[in-house]
Amino acid sequence: QVQLVESGGGLVQAGGSLRLSCAASGSIFEINVRGWYRQAPGKQRDFTALITDTGSTNYADSVKGRFTISRDNAKNTMYLQMNSLKTEDTGVYYCYVGIRGRMYWGQGTQVTVSS
């Protein structure tokens, strides 16, 4: 079983920053990809960022230049550093890991950006 626990969400003013964390445990011996999706109020869950096992990253156009995904293998934890936050970034952020073609999800953490 794979378990992902997120933390770091909260309320921040536009232009501010937040750092989300996602700690993984369980059967996580061969993680191929780690990443984040987000779901704005009333909208579907959208891809936000990912990092592969080789360190390659990819970002949604809406967050390029503002968000940075990273990982700490020793701590089995991934991070999403969010800078220059906009009100449009408001939503529930879900981390995930990809293992052998399957995706495993965290519980989500709320991020609210006020103007």
Side-chain angles (χ1 to χ4, degrees), residues 7-21:
S7 62
L11 176 65
V12 64
Q13 292 186 342
S17 299
L18 282 175
R19 188 195 192 205
L20 306 183
S21 299

Side-chain angles (χ1 to χ4, degrees), residues 5-114:
V5 179
E6 298 182 339
S7 62
L11 176 65
V12 64
Q13 292 186 342
S17 299
L18 282 175
R19 188 195 192 205
L20 306 183
S21 299
C22 176
S25 62
S27 300
I28 55 173
F29 305 108
E30 296 185 27
I31 297 175
N32 179 252
V33 62
R34 303 166 173 84
W36 298 84
Y37 276 65
R38 66 185 183 181
Q39 187 169 17
K43 298 184 178 180
Q44 65 182 4
R45 189 179 302 186
D46 291 326
F47 166 77
T48 304
L50 67 81
I51 183 168
T52 70
D53 54 356
T54 60
S56 298
T57 59
N58 193 22
Y59 299 92
D61 288 341
S62 58
V63 306
K64 284 182 178 178
R66 301 187 298 117
F67 289 13
T68 302
I69 186 171
S70 62
R71 55 182 166 87
D72 185 335
N73 290 341
K75 296 181 178 180
N76 294 320
T77 302
M78 73 178 88
Y79 306 93
L80 186 67
Q81 179 66 46
M82 305 185 295
N83 298 327
S84 301
L85 282 163
K86 306 174 181 179
T87 56
E88 305 96 281
D89 297 318
T90 292
V92 179
Y93 284 68
Y94 300 88
C95 66
Y96 76 91
V97 298
I99 302 175
R100 298 180 179 179
R102 295 187 177 185
M103 299 177 71
Y104 301 84
W105 296 90
Q107 81 284 0
T109 185
Q110 176 70 43
V111 172
T112 302
V113 183
S114 63

